[in-house]
Amino acid sequence: MPTLAATVVGGVLLTGCVTPALDSGAFRHNARGAVGSGLSETSTAALTVEQVLAGRLTDAVADTSLSNCEDAIGPIEDSFGKVQPPHGRDDPLRTDVLDALGDADEAIADARIAHRRDDTDGLRTALADLRSVTDEFERLEQDLG
């Protein structure tokens, strides 16, 4: 017979409820994790596009890399978006992180689409967008110190 704790945990997992961070420090910790993960995926996508433009990657490797980055960024955005800021003063941080994650998702998708279309100009545009988002994540990371 399941314990009460197991039942509660199972219920929480099944309902997918939004949980508040216990305090601003915990929320900032969650934000740092999301920013770090977003930076990693965006940097990987940018490096992939740079290598494609330089003719150093096969199409299969580039497609797999960009697809993996795109598959990873969505859950990061979803997970952070479900954490309720504990105070109204934390709302701007939530907005900034979610905006950066959304920008990353869009830039990575644009890179994947341009690559599959063999669109060199689209890849260059996507690379500029990826670099911009990378800079955005680095600023956020520095602010969250």
Side-chain angles (χ1 to χ4, degrees):
M1 177 175 231
T3 66
L4 177 59
T7 302
V8 169
V9 168
V12 168
L13 291 174
L14 291 175
T15 61
C17 66
V18 175
T19 57
L22 298 177
D23 59 30
S24 292
F27 187 72
R28 288 178 66 82
H29 178 76
N30 287 337
R32 272 193 296 278
V35 166
S37 296
L39 177 59
S40 176
E41 296 305 328
T42 306
S43 297
T44 299
L47 179 61
T48 300
V49 172
E50 288 169 358
Q51 296 305 306
V52 167
L53 290 171
R56 294 186 189 128
L57 281 183
T58 65
D59 286 343
V61 170
D63 189 64
T64 299
S65 177
L66 292 171
S67 294
N68 288 343
C69 290
E70 189 175 14
D71 289 346
I73 201 76
I76 297 165
E77 186 175 12
D78 290 343
S79 177
F80 182 73
K82 290 180 180 168
V83 178
Q84 178 181 326
H87 306 286
R89 67 180 173 268
D90 297 314
D91 289 348
L93 174 58
R94 180 179 188 275
T95 298
D96 289 347
V97 173
L98 287 175
D99 285 351
L101 289 167
D103 292 347
D105 192 12
E106 187 174 332
I108 293 168
D110 289 348
R112 177 190 47 80
I113 291 166
H115 175 261
R116 287 183 180 173
R117 291 180 178 167
D118 199 25
D119 177 2
T120 302
D121 290 338
L123 279 172
R124 285 188 184 108
T125 299
L127 180 57
D129 293 343
L130 288 165
R131 287 176 175 160
S132 177
V133 176
T134 298
D135 291 345
E136 193 175 344
F137 280 129
E138 287 174 346
R139 280 190 300 277
L140 283 167
E141 199 170 53
Q142 191 173 34
D143 291 346
L144 288 165

